[in-house]
Every structure is written in C-alpha cells, then in structure tokens.
Amino acid sequence: MPVLLKKALYLVVMLLLISFISFLAINAAPNSFLAAGELNPNMTPEAIEKLKAVYGLDKSMFEQYIHWLINLLQLNFGVSFVSGADVTDEILKRLPITLSMNITAMVAVFMLSIYLGIKAALHSGKSFDYALRQLSLISFSMPSFYLSLLLMLIFSVTLNWFPIAGLHSIEPKTGFSYYLDMAWHLVLPVGVMIFVSIGSMSIYIRSLTLEILKSDYIFFAKARGLSEKIILRRYIIPNLLPPVITLLGLSLPGLIGGSVILEAIFGIEGMGQLFYLSALSRDYPVIMGILTITALLTLLGNMSADLILIKLNPYAKRS
Amino acid sequence: MNLPRFSIFLLVAITVFSFFGSVFYSQSPYLLDKDSILLAPSFSHLFGTDRLGRDILARVIEGGKVSISIGIGSALIGSFIGLVLGSTAGYFRGKIDKAFVVLVDLFLTFPTFFLLLALVSYVNASVFVLIFIISITGWMTTARLIRSESFSITQQPFIKILDIAKVKKSKILLKYYAPLLAPIFFVSFTFGVGGAILAESGLSFLGLGIVAPQMSWGTILSSGKEVIDIAWWVSFFPGLMIFLITLSLMNISNYLQQQTNKKEIY
C-alpha cells in the first residue's frame, strides 16, 4: 500500500526532526550535566575529564547525537536531575492515569458533540442552535483553571459532593470500590476537560452538517420521502465521520496539554503534574522525555486516524 | 440583544478599566494592611482584600495592564509570523509549501501548553519573554488559515493575469494579495489575543509566568487558590476578567468571521 508507506516515511522524518530538536534543546539547557562538578573546588581536571567520558561528552557532537538517537529509540531518556530515578520509568508510571482521563474525555466529547452538533444543524436558526452557539463561545473562553476553582468551590467546598483533590480517599479501598472511589475523584477534572473542549467540537460538527444538508444527495433522499432517521443514519453520519476523526486525532495534543493545569489543580499524580513539577525544577531530562513521548503519542494518534479513514473510505487509498 | 456590539463595549470597558482605572481608583495595589486581611467585598474594598490585606480591585486594575499587553503583543507577533509564512507557502507552493507543512506539523505534534512550559523552564519569565514565547507557539492556526486562503486567491484569474503581465512579484504580493487576506487576518488576530491571554494566565496560574512584584490576572487568581474555601473573591474577580475579555474577543472574532463568511476557525 503506497499511501501507508508514504505515511510511515513521513512519521520517520518527523521522529528524526523531533529527536534532533530535543537533542539541541537538552544541550542548550542552562544547567549542564557537569555544572555542579565544575563549581566544586575539589574536582581535579582529570576527574572532570573522566566524568565527561562516562557521560560520553568527550565525543563529537555528531557522535553524541547518534548516541542520543539510539537511546531515544529504546525510550531511554537518562535519569532525572532531581530524583535520580529513571525518566522512562517515572513517565510510564504516570502515563496510564493521564491517558485514561484524556481518552474518557475524548470519547465523551465525541459522542456529545455529534449529538449536539447535528441537532443544532437540523434546527439551525432556532433557539437550540442559538443556545449551543453561545455555550460553545463560553466553553471556548472559559479558562480551565477558573472553571475548576469555581466547581471546587460549589461542589466540593459548599455542597461537599465531590472530593477537593487527589485520586484516592484516605481509607484504603480494594477491588471494585477502589475504582469506584477513583472515578468519584475524577468526576470534576474530567468534567472540566469535557466542557472546555466540547464547544469547538460541536460547532465544527454543526458547520459540517450544515454543508452536508446543502448537498444534492440529501435533497434527493428527502424527495424520495425517506424518514429523517434513515437520512441521518445513511447519509449524514457516514459523511460526517471522516473529518471528525481527523480532528479527533489532531485534538489529542491539546487535550494532553490541558491536563497539566488540571492535574496540578486537582493533585492528580499523572504525567501533566510530573511535567509541571519538572518545569518548576528545570529537570530537563524529564521535560524532554515527556515532550518526546507526547509527540510520539500524537503521531500515533494521527496515524491511527488516517488508518481508520482509509478503512472507512476506500477512495482515500488512491489519493 | 446585539451581541457583537455588546462584546465590543465589554472589551473597550475592560481595557479602559485596566489602563485608566488607577486614575479614578486611588487604592494602591501593593499596600499591605494587617488590619484588613481577607476582607469580603464591601464599599471600602469593592472586590475584597487578599491574604496580605491588599486591595483586590486595585490589583485587578494593575494586573489587567500586563495581561492585556501580553495578549495584544503576542497576538501581533504570532499573527504576523503566521501571515508571512502562510502567504509565502500559499503563493509560491511547491517545495516551499511542503517545507511549511512539515514545520507546522512539527509544531503541532507537541501540546502547545507543554511547549510553553518547556520554553519557560529555559528562561526567567518577564513580560517580553512571555510575549515572545506565546507568539512562537501560537502562530500555526493563523498560518494554516492564511495558507488555504492564499491558495484560493492564487486560483483567481486576475492574479494569473498580473503574473503574465510581468508585474513585479513584490508588487503583486503587497498591492493585490495582502488586502484580500486582511479579513481573515483580523479574524485570527482577535482570536489570537484571546488565546494569548488564556495562555499567559495559565502559565501565571502555575507560577511559571509573571513574577512578583509584577502581577497579571493569572497570578492574582493563583494567589487565591489556597484560600478558595474561605475567601472566594480573591480568585473570582480576576478569573471573571479573564473570562469576560476572552469571551468578548471570541465573540467579535466569530462575528467578523460570519461577515467574511469563511470557515470556522475552531
């Protein structure tokens, strides 16, 4: 399949570029690997040379880059400046919670906005449409941290319905109630995630549906006297899916980026919080590790969106 | 209700309030007062006071200057980069366009907020640094819009005729090309100001943006998060400002876009 090959090649080019940029970035970092050692008066020049040899810093830039690339391919980002722990372990430990939050939010946004967007398009100009457009503007302009604080104030402080922060209650739980407890802790953060991204998605789907409704095949389907339900299932949704799936693939980085703020506010020990803490303490290996892994996830997301598209539309293979 | 007019009114009101508010409101945003710690909103302190007894209204006025300046500054630079790159790619096509697509894709593979945080960790944030960082992470949407718009403009016969007539490339670009891109540019500019204000306040909220003694709406809001359970007003008012100004900007952008009848930005 030539299209797939082309996409795979593009992926490889992107990964090479990313690895090159991250190499430059980590070399430009203000506090170098040896900064502390060079300041130490007891360090002899020989000892510094030895350390450099240990870290491979005595080699040429090109050799260092190749070394970095090989490490990246093995997902080896070195050790954290702060904790001394292996960066990949740290990230992988925290990735599942972030990913599951983001995927839950993404699925919910997808379902809800398809429903809302199509409904608004079918009743375009009516009050439901107007309300959805206003809601989407609010959703787009609402800072996630502000909404989180307001919701915390209302639901956690005043009404006491949901916990303020964290992932687990103090008393340990096991089995099914362990996950139930976790879900209860995640209602507010995931709710905020859904709210801040639903506006753009549903408005996008609304305008796509409006375009589809203008087409000849819908006109003809109506002329044949097909019911609204059948038109919806047979003509609107299949035509709607390809662009929406592309957009979903593209929106993955935005969602993950948003989890930095939410995890910091709600005290969730995920990748976003780790990123925030590393940015505060300038822990460059961790920063670069997370950047590279999210870039990889995004590329994989886009790639799978493309694959689904090809599956849905055999014509896409030819272009 | 006339929404665009109301939004413009709101935008102008908040801007005037931030830049000239201190003329009418004489309280100092820096004055510490141990007798008025965490006072609820009242006539002497309309927005209440914070943990150090400082007047929130005065701080919101002062912080607004920084937030709005960063918003406008970053959006100006960001949309300018987008305009230059997008129109070059759209006009010259071919290899230049391919390189452009790779560059935009590369920037879009990283979550914008991650890029912001990573860049901020390299330097100490100040107003100018933040403007710079936010603009170089926020030009992609404008660039893509301008590019696709440029594509449709170059399709039009009069540009081809100008090419055939051997009119200078620079003259075509500036005299016949740029004016057609103006509407889409203004749409994405207003949109960009809102986005930049959100980005700055997000960074400042995390403590990685503006540092004391300077303040922005984000830092004031951030200072209220520890006392949210006993003093809602510290976070509420600066957050409301961020929300209202972004809402009015998005609304105006949306309205402009309906006028030019182009595809939705977001």
Side-chain angles (χ1 to χ4, degrees):
Chain A
M1 268 187 258
V3 179
L4 279 184
L5 205 70
K6 224 171 156 184
K7 296 243 189 257
L9 208 69
Y10 194 64
L11 196 84
V12 172
V13 171
M14 279 313 221
L15 283 177
L16 274 178
L17 279 172
I18 289 166
S19 73
F20 186 61
I21 292 172
S22 58
F23 174 72
L24 286 183
I26 207 147
N27 271 287
N31 46 355
S32 80
F33 289 96
L34 292 171
E38 277 158 2
L39 286 175
N40 186 343
N42 293 331
M43 283 285 266
T44 56
E46 293 84 47
I48 289 179
E49 284 307 311
K50 226 177 194 169
L51 259 183
K52 276 191 177 167
V54 167
Y55 289 115
L57 293 174
D58 54 344
K59 303 212 176 72
S60 70
M61 282 306 249
F62 181 71
E63 275 175 287
Q64 281 188 45
Y65 172 66
I66 297 296
H67 189 67
W68 168 255
L69 192 63
I70 292 170
N71 277 338
L72 274 195
L73 289 177
Q74 297 165 337
L75 286 181
N76 176 7
F77 300 99
V79 291
S80 155
F81 282 167
V82 176
S83 65
D86 189 70
V87 172
T88 314
D89 285 351
E90 287 274 291
I91 296 174
L92 289 183
K93 213 164 53 192
R94 286 159 171 264
L95 194 59
I97 180 70
T98 304
L99 270 189
S100 47
M101 276 168 72
N102 280 304
I103 290 173
T104 314
M106 208 158 103
V107 170
V109 167
F110 179 69
M111 303 294 220
L112 280 171
S113 53
I114 284 216
Y115 173 76
L116 293 173
I118 291 179
K119 191 166 179 195
L122 290 177
H123 305 276
S124 104
K126 304 263 174 58
S127 56
F128 180 81
D129 184 34
Y130 183 77
L132 183 77
R133 271 153 57 198
Q134 296 314 311
L135 185 81
S136 84
L137 277 175
I138 292 175
S139 130
F140 211 81
S141 342
M142 179 63 89
S144 58
F145 47 87
Y146 187 49
L147 184 63
S148 312
L149 284 183
L150 290 182
L151 291 181
M152 256 184 194
L153 188 65
I154 298 170
F155 292 108
S156 304
V157 177
T158 313
L159 295 173
N160 221 343
W161 285 0
F162 296 106
I164 287 196
L167 258 183
H168 308 284
S169 303
I170 298 168
E171 60 269 26
K173 299 219 165 60
T174 47
F176 184 64
S177 64
Y178 174 83
Y179 290 101
L180 210 64
D181 182 54
M182 203 150 102
W184 181 56
H185 279 78
L186 288 176
V187 170
L188 286 185
V190 173
V192 172
M193 260 180 187
I194 294 173
F195 184 79
V196 294
S197 45
I198 200 161
S200 50
M201 200 64 178
S202 51
I203 283 300
Y204 182 67
I205 288 175
R206 172 184 169 273
S207 62
L208 279 178
T209 314
L210 281 178
E211 285 295 311
I212 293 172
L213 286 178
K214 276 186 214 150
S215 62
D216 290 340
Y217 54 84
I218 296 287
F219 182 75
F220 186 60
K222 275 185 191 156
R224 279 189 292 162
L226 294 179
S227 72
E228 203 167 72
K229 223 178 196 170
I230 293 180
I231 294 181
L232 193 68
R233 206 178 315 147
R234 252 191 238 163
Y235 298 99
I236 298 182
I237 292 180
N239 281 298
L240 204 59
L241 283 180
V244 173
I245 288 171
T246 313
L247 190 71
L248 271 182
L250 285 174
S251 67
L252 192 72
L255 268 175
I256 295 183
S259 55
V260 173
I261 290 185
L262 288 173
E263 286 177 12
I265 295 179
F266 287 98
I268 294 163
E269 297 194 332
M271 201 175 66
Q273 196 199 40
L274 180 68
F275 195 82
Y276 165 56
L277 295 174
S278 326
L280 272 183
S281 55
R282 306 198 166 180
D283 193 349
Y284 299 108
V286 181
I287 293 176
M288 283 305 138
I290 295 181
L291 273 182
T292 316
I293 285 186
T294 41
L296 204 74
L297 284 177
T298 313
L299 287 174
L300 284 178
N302 290 350
M303 186 92 174
S304 39
D306 284 339
L307 286 179
I308 296 173
L309 279 187
I310 290 176
K311 199 96 192 140
L312 284 179
N313 179 7
Y315 283 103
K317 238 184 256 177
R318 292 180 201 168
S319 61
Chain B
M1 188 170 63
N2 195 329
L3 219 52
R5 271 199 200 158
F6 179 69
S7 299
I8 293 173
F9 169 75
L10 199 63
L11 180 67
V12 172
I14 294 179
T15 315
V16 169
F17 162 83
S18 301
F19 283 90
F20 302 103
S22 49
V23 178
F24 305 102
Y25 193 74
S26 56
Q27 292 259 24
S28 157
Y30 301 104
L31 186 75
L32 308 177
D33 184 356
K34 68 175 165 54
D35 297 322
S36 54
I37 285 169
L38 291 178
L39 290 181
S42 65
F43 281 114
S44 54
H45 298 287
L46 280 176
F47 285 5
T49 59
D50 71 1
R51 262 203 309 198
L52 300 171
R54 295 174 294 197
D55 185 76
I56 301 281
L57 176 56
R59 290 181 73 73
V60 167
I61 291 173
E62 191 63 25
K65 286 177 197 157
V66 172
S67 289
I68 295 173
S69 312
I70 291 181
I72 292 177
S74 331
L76 264 181
I77 300 175
S79 8
F80 187 71
I81 301 175
L83 179 68
V84 172
L85 292 181
S87 55
T88 329
Y91 185 75
F92 293 105
R93 301 171 172 226
K95 280 203 177 112
I96 295 178
D97 184 49
K98 282 220 175 82
F100 169 84
V101 172
V102 172
L103 188 69
V104 170
D105 275 0
L106 193 64
F107 269 83
L108 288 177
T109 44
F110 300 107
T112 313
F113 206 74
F114 276 21
L115 268 188
L116 279 174
L117 278 180
L119 286 172
V120 163
S121 72
Y122 275 82
V123 279
N124 288 316
S126 68
V127 174
F128 289 107
V129 167
L130 282 176
I131 289 179
F132 176 72
I133 288 177
I134 293 173
S135 53
I136 59 169
T137 51
W139 55 271
M140 292 84 79
T141 334
T142 314
R144 282 168 120 192
L145 278 174
I146 299 268
R147 169 178 169 262
S148 63
E149 187 68 11
S150 304
F151 271 161
S152 61
I153 294 176
T154 38
Q155 296 293 333
Q156 290 185 13
F158 71 90
I159 296 280
K160 283 180 184 156
I161 293 171
L162 287 170
D163 266 336
I164 296 168
K166 294 216 163 60
V167 179
K168 263 197 244 156
K169 279 227 151 87
S170 54
K171 195 178 174 187
I172 300 181
L173 268 175
L174 290 175
K175 194 169 173 189
Y176 300 98
Y177 211 68
L180 289 173
L181 291 173
I184 199 97
F185 179 77
F186 284 115
V187 171
S188 61
F189 173 72
T190 40
F191 190 78
V193 177
I197 289 179
L198 285 183
E200 181 275 325
S201 52
L203 281 177
S204 296
F205 178 80
L206 291 178
L208 284 157
I210 295 292
V211 281
Q214 265 192 319
M215 66 198 94
S216 73
W217 288 330
T219 57
I220 306 169
L221 196 158
S222 176
S223 72
K225 72 181 174 212
E226 285 95 11
V227 287
I228 187 80
D229 46 344
I230 47 172
W232 54 271
W233 52 89
V234 183
S235 291
F236 181 78
F237 291 109
L240 190 66
M241 287 294 165
I242 301 170
F243 172 61
L244 287 180
I245 199 166
T246 338
L247 184 66
S248 56
L249 282 164
M250 297 296 166
N251 228 328
I252 294 168
S253 165
N254 202 21
Y255 172 74
L256 286 175
Q257 182 189 305
Q258 277 168 10
Q259 294 302 304
T260 53
N261 205 8
K262 291 287 174 292
K263 275 202 182 126
E264 317 266 344
I265 297 191
Y266 54 91

